[in-house]
Amino acid sequence: MNPDGFHSRLPTLHGDGVRLRWLKPADLPALQRLFGNPEVVRFMALSQLETRADTEQFLESIVEGFLEGSLYQWGLDVEGQLVGTCTLAAIDRANGHGEIGFALARAYRGQGIMARAVRALLEFAFGPLGMHRVEADVDPRNTASIRLLERQGFTREGLLRERYREEGGFQDALIYGLLRRDWMPLSPRAGRIGEG
Ligand SMILES: CC(C)(COP(=O)(O)OP(=O)(O)OC[C@H]1O[C@@H](n2cnc3c(N)ncnc32)[C@H](O)[C@@H]1OP(=O)(O)O)[C@@H](O)C(=O)NCCC(=O)NCCS
């Protein structure tokens, strides 16, 4: 059992038209296509997955994170296709916070899929997980992610100067935060958790 009392896997969360579900070995090809794409990982703290072995290791680290209770990463399933992932990382139970992350295959963007997935994740984080605060660390050039976070009610809290080493120099990071009390009035429903 993991620290939140989940047995062998994360519960499935339901957003409108998108299911957040446990990732499994059958997802390896789709995960490699997603995170093997340099455009997808450009602004992420993740190295591009170039080989099947890289992807297997990546999936193993997701399972380890789940068992430790430090990282929850769901696959986004739209009509049986794995189209992206949504993550709550750096989970700090004592202080009630975690860091949100997301990635969506290009063909599925611009349809509000990630917005609905993020809402389902927030319902779970602020509901059953009892989090007080969810934060995000975003590259200032990542306009789509910034729009997505702001539309979900996240507040821009600060800019950390030259936080990440990049080819040719250092890159700033924007920090966004959402508090439970600021989110609750925006949410029409409590977390919906299902088995499949
Ligand atoms: C972040 C991501 C999930 C957003 O996908 P999406 O929810 O389908 O988002 P959309 O394509 O609808 O774009 C969201 C908003 O940003 C706007 N936008 C997108 N690209 C933009 C650009 N290059 N310049 C300006 N605005 C842009 C869209 O118009 C939209 O605005 P709206 O909500 O006012 O309509 C997707 O871009 C992605 O997977 N990116 C790669 C992974 C990544 O960077 N993850 C974040 C790490 S923190």
Side-chain angles (χ1 to χ4, degrees):
M1 202 188 292
N2 94 340
D4 286 312
F6 303 128
H7 285 277
S8 53
R9 61 189 184 106
L10 285 167
T12 300
L13 312 180
H14 297 273
D16 292 332
V18 55
R19 227 157 44 94
L20 285 71
R21 63 156 175 82
W22 182 242
L23 287 162
K24 45 191 194 298
D27 296 316
L28 285 169
L31 281 174
Q32 195 178 334
R33 274 195 302 279
L34 181 69
F35 294 115
N37 182 340
E39 185 273 333
V40 171
V41 296
R42 178 169 175 225
F43 296 129
M44 298 185 78
L46 172 71
S47 307
Q48 193 181 340
L49 299 180
E50 291 185 358
T51 63
R52 168 97 180 181
D54 290 345
T55 315
E56 283 170 351
Q57 209 173 23
F58 175 69
L59 190 55
E60 275 164 28
S61 68
I62 291 173
V63 175
E64 277 164 27
F66 164 76
L67 293 172
E68 286 171 12
S70 56
L71 172 135
Y72 292 165
Q73 185 154 7
W74 286 265
L76 302 190
D77 189 311
V78 173
E79 295 172 349
Q81 301 292 318
L82 185 86
V83 302
T85 72
C86 214
T87 310
L88 196 60
I91 296 172
D92 178 340
R93 235 161 246 93
N95 293 300
H97 65 238
E99 191 179 304
I100 195 168
F102 31 75
L104 188 62
R106 235 196 146 98
Y108 291 86
R109 296 197 194 152
Q111 302 169 38
I113 292 170
M114 191 56 83
R116 296 195 296 274
V118 165
R119 222 168 292 141
L121 187 150
L122 291 173
E123 279 167 3
F124 181 69
F126 289 127
L129 277 189
M131 293 246 153
H132 176 66
R133 165 189 167 86
V134 174
E135 52 200 37
D137 172 335
V138 196
D139 189 303
R141 297 166 296 182
N142 194 349
T143 317
S145 291
I146 290 169
R147 289 278 312 156
L148 179 67
L149 290 165
E150 290 180 345
R151 282 191 159 226
Q152 295 295 323
F154 280 76
T155 298
R156 184 179 296 208
E157 296 178 337
L159 180 129
L160 305 187
R161 294 175 307 148
E162 303 191 5
R163 179 150 163 80
Y164 296 109
R165 192 185 291 280
E166 266 201 357
E167 251 179 57
F170 288 88
Q171 180 58 46
D172 297 343
L174 277 174
I175 303 300
Y176 275 82
L178 180 63
L179 300 181
R180 185 169 197 273
R181 66 171 172 274
D182 294 335
W183 176 81
M184 288 310 274
L186 302 174
S187 170
R189 54 182 194 190
R192 275 162 60 200
I193 306 177
E195 281 309 308

